[in-house]
Amino acid sequence: MPPSSEQVRKSLRASLWDGVFTSGMVGFTQDYFIPFLLLLGAPAKYVALLSSLPNFVAALVQLKSPDITEHCGSRKKIINLFVFLQAAVLLPMAFTAFCGGTHPMAFILMVTVFTAAGAFATPAWGSLMSDLVPEKKRGEYFGWRNKILGFVVVGMSFTAGAVLHEIDKINIFYGFAAIYACASLFRFVSWYFLTRMYEPPQQHRKEHYFNIVMFLARIRESNFAKFVLFVAMLNFSVNLASPFFPVLMLRELHFNYLLFSVVTVSATLTIYLLMGRWGRLADQVGNLKVLRFTAPIIAMIPFWWIINRHPAFLIVAQIVSGFAWAGFNLCASNFIYDAVTPEKRTRCIAYFNVLNGLALCAGALLGGFLLDRLPPLMGYKILALFAVSGCLRMAVALLMPPLIKEVRTVQKISSERLFFSMIGMRPLLGIERKTIQYEG
């Protein structure tokens, strides 16, 4: 029996507030784990480990997430339990920073538990939300929701950078303690709102079961499996370089924390400003069209950093990056909801995350291995790694998408018209007039 309109309305309102406070946590953490590791004096190999071990463990735990969720009989219970754990793990991080730091490996282990806890809840959360949001409104709704939450992420990330910049004159460790403690508080509040959501009942039958080996065995004939492989290979190529952008800015280019935050949040702000527009476009032209259009742009980003490293130029590069990632991330998530049946969504989301987690882990480890072995490019070994990452990204972006098919009926549109529609110079019929209504 589908949920009533009142149950959906209250649940989506609770979900919005959960997202607001979760985004506050993200703003205080996602860009400030590597800087704290660098503050502890960790070399580049520890940066690679911080970017790989949490993803590896998160991938492993998600292998069992669907089974445990089905055994528990409630997606909501799994979400609430592991979100609470994630909030709690931030407290020892804050205490460690307040006490003046610890061994880099101890901090990496804490980040690993933090990441794994959040990852375990992700498939159940994605399945629950896909049951609450109407199919034809997913792109529009999640684009609208993510746009709002993005402002929170950017605001909190910039606030964290400003706090670190100011408190650096006193004791920088106190600054990290403060932002991790605030992140924990925000996550506890988000957990409260998650407990207020309604969970539509879901039936599990034996015919809906398949393990990851069975999933991979169908990669030649399964459209969804090819999609997962495409995203995983692109993420592998991206993560060769992405953990080392903070290293380049903070250690090689000697940016202060405030300038680091400005460059970093430029991409984040752009992502969330444009997600709503990408969502409305994707509802009409299809998620796959947007993925095919944005992937080559993502491939070009490392070359921008090679061309010029002036902060103003890097901000422009980050805006371009945010433009592409906004469409890619939103449509990758929504493609899953379109491509699989509700009964299989928890498991498919989990396996999608497993393979992407392993790809991110492998990319970071290979990047750390190559960093000390590549010849310098324009005086920096990191830039040589960026070039390798960019070439691999481009190969994946051009070769993989033609193998994947759109799973629903959509408008046909050229890449040129899609671009001009996105920047507002040639709107598609109805795109400019439609706005999502949310009754909070």
Side-chain angles (χ1 to χ4, degrees):
M1 180 178 178
S4 67
S5 59
E6 180 66 12
Q7 288 171 323
V8 170
R9 187 186 70 83
K10 289 183 177 180
S11 293
L12 293 182
R13 182 173 60 186
S15 175
L16 178 65
W17 284 110
D18 150 54
V20 167
F21 286 97
T22 299
S23 298
M25 176 202 71
V26 170
F28 278 129
T29 56
Q30 71 173 359
D31 294 323
Y32 297 100
F33 286 147
I34 291 178
F36 185 69
L37 192 67
L38 295 176
L39 180 64
L40 296 176
K45 65 179 181 180
Y46 279 97
V47 175
L49 189 61
L50 177 62
S51 301
S52 57
L53 184 61
N55 286 312
F56 178 72
V57 175
L60 291 182
V61 300
Q62 286 189 83
L63 278 174
K64 297 302 297 179
S65 177
D67 295 332
I68 294 176
T69 301
E70 290 178 11
H71 179 75
C72 178
S74 171
R75 292 167 291 180
K76 185 176 173 181
K77 287 181 180 178
I78 293 296
I79 295 167
N80 292 341
L81 173 62
F82 284 92
V83 166
F84 187 92
L85 175 61
Q86 188 179 42
V89 172
L90 285 163
L91 293 175
M93 286 190 201
F95 181 75
T96 295
F98 183 79
C99 293
T102 183
H103 190 279
M105 194 63 218
F107 179 71
I108 290 172
L109 291 175
M110 284 188 280
V111 175
T112 299
V113 176
F114 167 84
T115 305
F120 200 98
T122 298
W125 182 88
S127 174
L128 177 61
M129 289 297 293
S130 67
D131 284 351
L132 293 171
V133 180
E135 178 181 349
K136 294 183 179 180
K137 288 287 187 179
R138 283 177 191 148
E140 189 176 356
Y141 173 78
F142 284 111
W144 168 82
R145 182 181 188 271
N146 291 342
K147 179 179 178 180
I148 294 174
L149 304 187
F151 284 112
V152 180
V153 173
V154 170
M156 293 302 100
S157 183
F158 188 78
T159 299
V163 168
L164 294 176
H165 178 72
E166 290 300 320
I167 212 165
D168 193 19
K169 305 165 188 175
I170 306 171
N171 187 330
I172 188 62
F173 284 99
Y174 290 167
F176 279 101
I179 65 174
Y180 292 158
C182 287
S184 178
L185 176 63
F186 280 17
R187 194 51 163 157
F188 276 121
V189 176
S190 81
W191 166 81
Y192 165 76
F193 283 106
L194 284 168
T195 65
R196 311 290 293 177
M197 292 182 65
Y198 170 76
E199 178 183 8
Q202 190 177 57
Q203 292 184 341
H204 298 286
R205 299 187 179 95
K206 288 184 178 180
E207 58 265 28
H208 296 151
Y209 174 82
F210 58 97
N211 58 38
I212 195 166
V213 176
M214 297 163 64
F215 175 75
L216 292 173
R218 298 188 65 248
I219 205 160
R220 289 187 178 181
E221 63 266 21
S222 170
N223 187 59
F224 179 70
K226 291 174 184 176
F227 159 75
V228 173
L229 181 62
F230 159 58
V231 178
M233 290 178 67
L234 185 65
N235 279 325
F236 167 80
S237 306
V238 167
N239 225 37
L240 280 173
S242 62
F244 303 100
F245 284 92
V247 178
L248 178 65
M249 286 186 280
L250 294 172
R251 199 168 267 182
E252 303 290 345
L253 302 179
H254 306 290
F255 288 6
N256 60 43
Y257 286 112
L258 188 59
L259 182 56
F260 168 79
S261 298
V262 171
V263 174
T264 301
V265 303
S266 299
T268 309
L269 178 61
T270 307
I271 287 173
Y272 292 111
L273 279 173
L274 296 180
M275 268 194 173
R277 192 173 183 85
W278 275 123
R280 292 192 295 274
L281 274 169
D283 282 340
Q284 296 195 36
V285 306
N287 294 306
L288 184 58
K289 180 63 182 180
V290 176
L291 294 173
R292 288 174 174 170
F293 176 77
T294 54
I297 302 175
I298 291 169
M300 293 299 299
I301 299 305
F303 297 112
W304 286 62
W305 288 68
I306 295 173
I307 293 170
N308 194 315
R309 287 160 303 286
H310 188 279
F313 186 86
L314 294 182
I315 289 173
V316 175
Q318 290 289 82
I319 291 172
V320 175
S321 176
F323 169 84
W325 279 114
F328 190 91
N329 286 338
L330 178 68
C331 292
S333 296
N334 287 346
F335 188 90
I336 302 174
Y337 300 147
D338 290 342
V340 298
T341 59
E343 297 82 6
K344 296 180 180 179
R345 277 193 194 125
T346 301
R347 194 167 295 277
C348 284
I349 292 170
Y351 293 163
F352 173 85
N353 290 336
V354 166
L355 293 176
N356 276 282
L358 293 176
L360 290 168
C361 171
L365 288 176
L366 181 59
F369 174 81
L370 292 176
L371 184 60
D372 293 331
R373 292 162 176 81
L374 291 171
L377 177 62
M378 302 177 70
Y380 299 97
K381 289 188 175 184
I382 291 179
L383 295 184
L385 185 63
F386 287 4
V388 174
S389 173
C391 291
L392 286 177
R393 294 184 198 196
M394 188 59 71
V396 174
L398 295 178
L399 297 176
M400 290 294 296
L403 304 177
I404 307 168
K405 298 177 181 178
E406 182 57 79
V407 295
R408 57 186 172 89
T409 303
V410 295
Q411 292 183 18
K412 299 293 183 181
I413 182 175
S414 67
S415 294
E416 178 187 8
R417 191 181 177 202
L418 177 61
F419 173 74
F420 285 115
S421 297
M422 186 58 201
I423 64 175
M425 293 180 64
R426 193 183 300 172
L428 291 177
L429 181 63
I431 287 289
E432 296 303 314
R433 295 194 298 270
K434 288 174 65 180
T435 55
I436 192 165
Q437 299 297 318
Y438 175 78
E439 298 178 0

